Amino acid sequence: VFQLKRYFGSPAAGVGRMAVETRRERRLMEFGPIDGIRREEGMVEEAAVAPDTTRIAYTVLDPRTSTKALYVRNTSGGDAVRLTTGDPPAGYPAWSPDGKWIALELFEPGHTDAPVVPAAGGPLTRLTSARGQAWVHSFSPDSSRVLFAGQRAGVWNIYWVPREGGNEHRVTNNTAVGVFMRYPAWSPRNDQIVYEYGVVRGNVWLLELR
């Protein structure tokens, strides 16, 4: 299990690795100044470890410009490689199983799009364009499809879209506005998709004024 955290006695954020069986934790990497942004000026946010654990993808929010860009760095050290411009802001990276691609969320005014970018650097390809939300979380086992929770016309469902671009394919058949879905993950055996399913419920309350 990997997690982004701030270690005791250190002003910088880092990524730790914890063994599931023993719960022993080990610091994998600590972030320092990035691309000219001092620690007090930039904030390391979402981080994702590559399947082979040799690289970490993460985003940096620069409050001076309100940009949020994607970086990749080797866990063994070295300089970070910036993969997106930060405008529009990008976040929540998800690695493909083969380690060659990273899916993201692009934050546009009023909606999000789902693009992919080569992990080694290269042009960003937008996979969605429909109004609403597209919250990526994983790939298919062969790295050919990107799985995301999508909100279309106010309704949430689980979708996948080809990594190279194409039509969206809906996996679930929700029609209720009060249902939300999150964090879809594709089974390595390619036989299941798991996701969070929640229902928003409300009540009417009467308060007597005295």
Side-chain angles (χ1 to χ4, degrees), residues 57-127:
Y58 56 92
T59 57
V60 175
L61 174 65
D62 185 350
R64 300 168 299 178
T65 58
S66 297
T67 58
K68 188 176 182 181
L70 174 71
Y71 293 78
V72 169
R73 177 177 292 188
N74 291 332
T75 55
S76 60
D79 295 331
V81 177
R82 185 169 180 165
L83 298 185
T84 64
T85 64
D87 186 17
Y92 298 97
W95 286 89
S96 62
D98 62 11
K100 296 180 179 179
W101 303 90
I102 300 174
L104 295 163
E105 294 175 22
L106 280 186
F107 305 103
E108 298 284 8
H111 72 282
T112 56
D113 286 332
V116 292
V117 63
L124 181 146
T125 302
R126 294 192 187 223
L127 303 180

Side-chain angles (χ1 to χ4, degrees), residues 158-176:
I158 304 302
Y159 297 82
W160 63 263
V161 63
R163 191 200 67 232
E164 296 180 352
N167 295 327
E168 296 180 1
H169 298 263
R170 192 176 67 187
V171 178
T172 57
N173 293 306
N174 174 51
T175 59

Side-chain angles (χ1 to χ4, degrees), residues 14-209:
V15 172
R17 179 170 63 185
M18 179 182 293
V20 175
E21 294 182 354
T22 64
R23 297 188 180 182
R24 290 183 178 179
E25 186 176 346
R26 183 171 68 88
R27 190 181 309 190
L28 185 64
M29 192 183 74
E30 185 175 283
F31 299 103
I34 301 168
D35 199 26
I37 302 174
R38 297 194 304 272
R39 289 172 182 165
E40 64 271 21
E41 293 178 332
M43 181 181 299
V44 175
E45 295 195 330
E46 308 92 12
V49 180
D52 62 3
T53 73
T54 63
R55 293 163 293 166
I56 295 179
Y58 56 92
T59 57
V60 175
L61 174 65
D62 185 350
R64 300 168 299 178
T65 58
S66 297
T67 58
K68 188 176 182 181
L70 174 71
Y71 293 78
V72 169
R73 177 177 292 188
N74 291 332
T75 55
S76 60
D79 295 331
V81 177
R82 185 169 180 165
L83 298 185
T84 64
T85 64
D87 186 17
Y92 298 97
W95 286 89
S96 62
D98 62 11
K100 296 180 179 179
W101 303 90
I102 300 174
L104 295 163
E105 294 175 22
L106 280 186
F107 305 103
E108 298 284 8
H111 72 282
T112 56
D113 286 332
V116 292
V117 63
L124 181 146
T125 302
R126 294 192 187 223
L127 303 180
T128 62
S129 59
R131 297 292 296 182
Q133 309 298 330
W135 295 0
V136 300
H137 194 66
S138 67
F139 282 75
S140 60
D142 62 359
S143 302
S144 68
R145 291 168 284 180
V146 176
L147 191 64
F148 66 95
Q151 185 196 54
R152 301 291 182 253
V155 175
W156 286 95
N157 275 288
I158 304 302
Y159 297 82
W160 63 263
V161 63
R163 191 200 67 232
E164 296 180 352
N167 295 327
E168 296 180 1
H169 298 263
R170 192 176 67 187
V171 178
T172 57
N173 293 306
N174 174 51
T175 59
V177 176
V179 169
F180 63 88
M181 299 178 182
R182 302 285 189 275
Y183 317 118
W186 215 308
S187 165
R189 295 193 299 267
N190 199 32
D191 60 348
Q192 291 179 318
I193 290 175
V194 297
Y195 55 92
E196 177 187 352
Y197 180 97
V199 180
V200 179
R201 300 184 185 278
N203 290 295
V204 177
W205 296 84
L206 176 65
L207 176 64
E208 294 185 4
L209 301 177

